[in-house]
Amino acid sequence: MAFLTLLDIQKRNGSASDIGLIEEVGLSAPEVTQLASVVGSKTMMKTFVRTGVPRARFRPANAPIGYTSCTYEARNVELFPVSSIVFVDTITLASSDDGEAAVLADEASGITEGVLLSLGAQGFYGTQIDKNGFPGLPDFIDDTMIVSADSSKAADSYDGTSVFAVIEGPKGVHWRWGRDRGISLGPFKDTYIPGKDPETGEQGAIPGKAADLTAFVALVNNSKLSAARLKNIGTAEGTTLDDDKLAELLALFPAGSRVTKFIMNRMALEQLRKSRNVVSVSVNGSKAGGDSSGSAPIPTHAHGIPILVTDSIVNNESDLTSITGISHWGKHAPKKVAGKKNK
């Protein structure tokens, strides 16, 4: 089943510049741009999550039957504003051979990439990353939908990395965008920002052009049975990822459920690749299956389900200061989250 993504929303509701922003940096945080998205006008709403369905009864002729109904849990969904200011000094604009428009577009692209990466990290670790942001996907996963790759770990242990299995869609896991749009870049305007002289420390102002990049967003799970987590994936023997462990994760979902994606990081993906055997056969003297070195190809699916690979899931979830190790952050890593545990 096809769902709208962030790029679809940008194309339907955004300007040409808004579309270009996502097209250029969309692969930086694929969990934001490729998972299902829903857009609406509100930033606060109430949803009802079905928690149970009644069992039908057989009824003989002329015998009454009682009323039945599904059970629901009311949830308030709040979309959180995320915002960044795109600013370029007038000297930078004037001295560039590429022209003012190219410089502004390049800076806007970089800021957008930072927003997507921030949303990705928030999506998996919630308020442990930014207390002013939305809850993460683990906050919506029922205890019955969690399995550990290391049976020796305590129930509340989160060592190593995790793999998530999700059922996308408006009734399952999706990104919810408010104000009838996704990520929006306002017009660039001449402005001044405060600054200090690097030598004297005196206060001053820096002239330039600035625009506001904003979105109202949250990651939502509208069903207790739409997401599951395989945790404590490590490097020790018996704790690495393989197809059997992914099958155990799928076994947590009710029969008939259709999981739409596995989400994992590159370490887990490589473990999965190494766990697979290459079957070589001779066809008219040549070999088929695997490359010339005999290694397994990089997995794109498991049990027929697409794999989404992200750098927003860290290798060691016992200490989220490792979030600064995500390669895309480069030298401009976010501040460390001191003493935070992923519970």
Side-chain angles (χ1 to χ4, degrees), residues 86-108:
V86 183
F87 177 83
V88 183
D89 193 317
T90 53
I91 292 179
T92 302
L93 294 173
S95 60
S96 173
D97 294 333
D98 297 327
E100 180 177 297
V103 175
L104 293 175
D106 184 62
E107 184 65 14

Side-chain angles (χ1 to χ4, degrees), residues 177-188:
W177 304 88
R179 302 295 189 190
D180 289 323
R181 62 181 57 208
I183 298 175
S184 176
L185 178 67
F188 279 94

Side-chain angles (χ1 to χ4, degrees), residues 117-137:
L117 289 166
S118 299
L119 292 177
Q122 192 77 18
F124 292 113
Y125 301 113
T127 54
Q128 297 172 93
I129 297 299
D130 189 332
K131 66 180 181 180
N132 295 317
F134 51 82
L137 181 59

Side-chain angles (χ1 to χ4, degrees), residues 318-340:
S318 64
D319 184 354
L320 290 184
T321 58
S322 60
I323 196 73
T324 58
I326 291 178
S327 61
H328 286 299
W329 292 111
K331 296 180 180 179
H332 303 287
K335 294 181 179 179
K336 290 185 176 182
V337 187
K340 295 288 186 181

Side-chain angles (χ1 to χ4, degrees), residues 12 36 60 80 132 139 169 182 213 236-237 244 249 289 303 311 331 338:
R12 292 186 178 195
F80 291 76
N132 295 317
D139 296 314
L213 191 73
E237 184 178 355
D244 286 342
L249 185 63
H303 305 290
D311 284 333
K331 296 180 180 179

